[in-house]
Amino acid sequence: MQNQIKTQAEASVSAAFELATLSFSQVERLTELTLEQAKVNSELAQAQLTSVLEVKDPAAALELLKSQLDTSVKSLAGFAATAYELTQTFQAESAAFAEGHFDHAHDTANKAIHDSLSKAPEGSEAAVTAVKAAVEAGNKALAEARKNAKKTAELAQEGLAKLKEHAPKAAVKAPVRRKARA
């Protein structure tokens, strides 16, 4: 029994380190993205300041402002899209990790229950049958819950994809100007 606990503890520690490594890699990717965006922002600011110094009349200033806002919106939309994709990748990786470890733990628990039931004393057949039925019902309920969770996640992904399609279009549109009152 002690050997079984030691094995489970070692597996848990190993899983924790794997998850930590996965999390650190996500932090690293997001940090790289943030640094890259900071570089892009710096270059964009420099170009915008240079352009501002070359403005000669109000019409050119308005056109420059419109151009700079458009460029900034596109840059931020690109950053947001990349950050979203990184987050989705991490979510998929961590879900696969958790699912794999859960499946292993679930199989181990089912095996332990089955082994314990096979060593049940004589005369307890009815109880063993009831426990086996309960375990089977629990396994079916778990499988159904996982199937529903996956379907819900897929529907959420579809909804986010549709939202993402429309977001850049909405961001690029200029606000409607109101006419000045006379």
Side-chain angles (χ1 to χ4, degrees):
M1 184 70 164
Q2 186 180 13
N3 198 19
Q4 187 180 19
I5 293 172
K6 181 182 177 189
T7 303
Q8 289 176 345
E10 288 172 347
S12 294
V13 169
S14 176
F17 277 108
E18 286 179 49
L19 185 58
T21 300
L22 185 65
S23 298
F24 286 138
S25 70
Q26 176 65 8
V27 169
E28 184 177 47
R29 287 182 278 196
L30 287 172
T31 301
E32 288 173 5
L33 175 64
T34 303
L35 288 173
E36 186 60 34
Q37 185 63 34
K39 289 178 187 175
V40 167
N41 289 346
S42 176
E43 292 168 2
L44 184 61
Q46 182 181 9
Q48 289 175 343
L49 285 173
T50 302
S51 297
V52 166
L53 295 175
E54 296 173 2
V55 172
K56 304 261 188 256
D57 62 359
L62 286 176
E63 189 59 38
L64 176 64
L65 178 62
K66 180 182 173 192
S67 170
Q68 289 179 348
L69 286 174
D70 187 44
T71 303
S72 295
V73 166
K74 287 179 182 176
S75 176
L76 288 174
F79 174 77
T82 304
Y84 173 78
E85 289 167 6
L86 283 175
T87 303
Q88 290 304 106
T89 300
F90 177 70
Q91 188 273 335
E93 290 171 351
S94 59
F97 172 84
E99 194 170 297
H101 284 281
F102 177 80
D103 287 343
H104 177 70
H106 183 74
D107 291 343
T108 302
N110 278 338
K111 185 180 181 302
I113 290 170
H114 180 70
D115 290 347
S116 295
L117 291 177
S118 66
K119 297 175 185 173
E122 286 188 35
S124 61
E125 289 81 13
V128 168
T129 303
V131 170
K132 283 183 177 180
V135 168
E136 178 138 348
N139 287 340
K140 285 181 181 177
L142 180 63
E144 189 65 28
R146 288 176 79 174
K147 184 176 95 175
N148 290 336
K150 283 184 180 181
K151 184 65 178 171
T152 301
E154 289 171 8
L155 291 172
Q157 288 290 351
E158 289 173 15
L160 286 172
K162 288 179 183 178
L163 181 64
K164 189 177 171 184
E165 286 176 17
H166 298 292
K169 294 176 188 171
V172 173
K173 290 182 183 177
V176 177
R177 297 178 112 191
R178 293 184 181 183
K179 293 184 179 179
R181 292 184 180 174

